[in-house]
Amino acid sequence: MTLATRDAIASAIDEVEPTPVALILGTARTHRGKPNRFYRARIEAAAALFHQKRVRGILVSGDNATRHYNEPIAMQKDLVALGVPAEYITLDYAGFRTLDSIVRAKKVFGLEQVLVVSQAFHAARAIFLARHFELEARGFAAADPPRSGFQSGFFSVRAREVLARAAAILDIVTGRGPRFLGKHETVRLRDEPAREIQALKQS
């Protein structure tokens, strides 16, 4: 997956081609009672993309399993705190897995193209899945947390990623789909002058 998708993942904003929608893949806001640096990096990356006019709207997709655990609402609040207007943040409450987020982006939200925002290793899996489901996807790599320290969670997350990639391949082989689909929803986008978008593409 890494080799197949490495050319599709940008690590700097000036490498990102303007794309209508950034798709943030959800994760817990905290880890073992402390702020989750993976989560925070994704939020900051998406806000920077919006403010630098690389995207016109943000789709936040995550788990809404209980009344007290709601990843999309948390992401929306933190994006707003970083200056992203709430009207340009669309919430996907049924992004229970990366597969769900990708398929729902296409089938529920009607997107043909997305910019996946997550850490590079996770974005690679998301892009791999997107290609299978005929969704055009590129990625923007949010920062990894420090690799040292028990609390960083870096190594445990990377270990889980090995299993997640195996599960993604199994999902494709078995034809597994998302847990929920539902009626069509619209992603709200900021209007951008055509000449401004063209200038960004040529920069």
Side-chain angles (χ1 to χ4, degrees):
M1 288 185 189
T2 300
L3 290 174
T5 60
R6 61 183 178 182
D7 292 338
I9 301 174
S11 57
I13 287 183
D14 59 7
E15 299 172 355
V16 177
E17 295 183 7
T19 306
V21 179
L23 169 63
I24 309 181
L25 300 174
T27 188
R29 199 179 195 179
T30 60
H31 175 71
R32 293 176 177 154
K34 295 183 179 295
N36 182 348
R37 296 184 184 181
F38 289 95
Y39 169 91
R40 188 63 190 177
R42 295 179 197 183
I43 297 300
E44 291 176 351
L49 287 165
F50 183 86
H51 291 312
Q52 296 197 31
K53 300 185 178 178
R54 299 290 166 168
V55 299
R56 296 167 51 206
I58 299 174
L59 175 61
V60 296
S61 182
D63 193 342
N64 177 28
T66 71
R67 289 177 55 193
H68 305 291
Y69 186 82
N70 192 319
E71 290 175 358
I73 288 291
M75 289 190 281
Q76 181 190 46
K77 288 180 178 178
D78 289 331
L79 286 167
V80 169
L82 291 176
V84 179
E87 59 264 36
Y88 302 126
I89 305 170
T90 303
L91 280 63
D92 174 13
Y93 293 104
F96 301 107
R97 303 172 68 227
T98 302
L99 182 145
D100 297 60
S101 298
I102 291 296
V103 176
R104 286 176 55 81
K106 182 177 178 66
K107 295 189 175 181
V108 174
F109 294 93
L111 301 177
E112 296 296 330
Q113 180 184 25
V114 294
L115 178 67
V116 175
V117 179
S118 188
Q119 280 67 34
F121 64 86
H122 188 195
R125 173 160 50 94
I127 294 169
F128 181 85
L129 288 166
R131 288 174 177 174
H132 175 75
F133 290 104
E134 299 181 339
L135 173 64
E136 182 182 345
R138 298 187 68 81
F140 181 65
D144 283 324
R147 300 190 181 197
S148 61
F150 180 74
Q151 292 291 340
S152 75
F154 180 87
F155 291 106
S156 62
V157 168
R158 292 305 300 267
R160 288 197 300 271
E161 180 63 19
V162 174
L163 299 177
R165 291 188 177 195
I169 293 172
L170 183 61
D171 289 340
I172 289 174
V173 170
T174 60
R176 180 174 180 174
R179 191 183 305 182
F180 299 113
L181 283 175
K183 64 180 182 179
H184 175 74
E185 298 183 44
T186 301
V187 176
R188 299 181 298 275
L189 302 177
R190 171 178 59 187
D191 291 333
E192 293 287 347
R195 64 178 180 275
E196 191 169 341
I197 293 177
Q198 187 62 30
L200 281 171
K201 288 182 176 181
Q202 293 174 352
S203 63

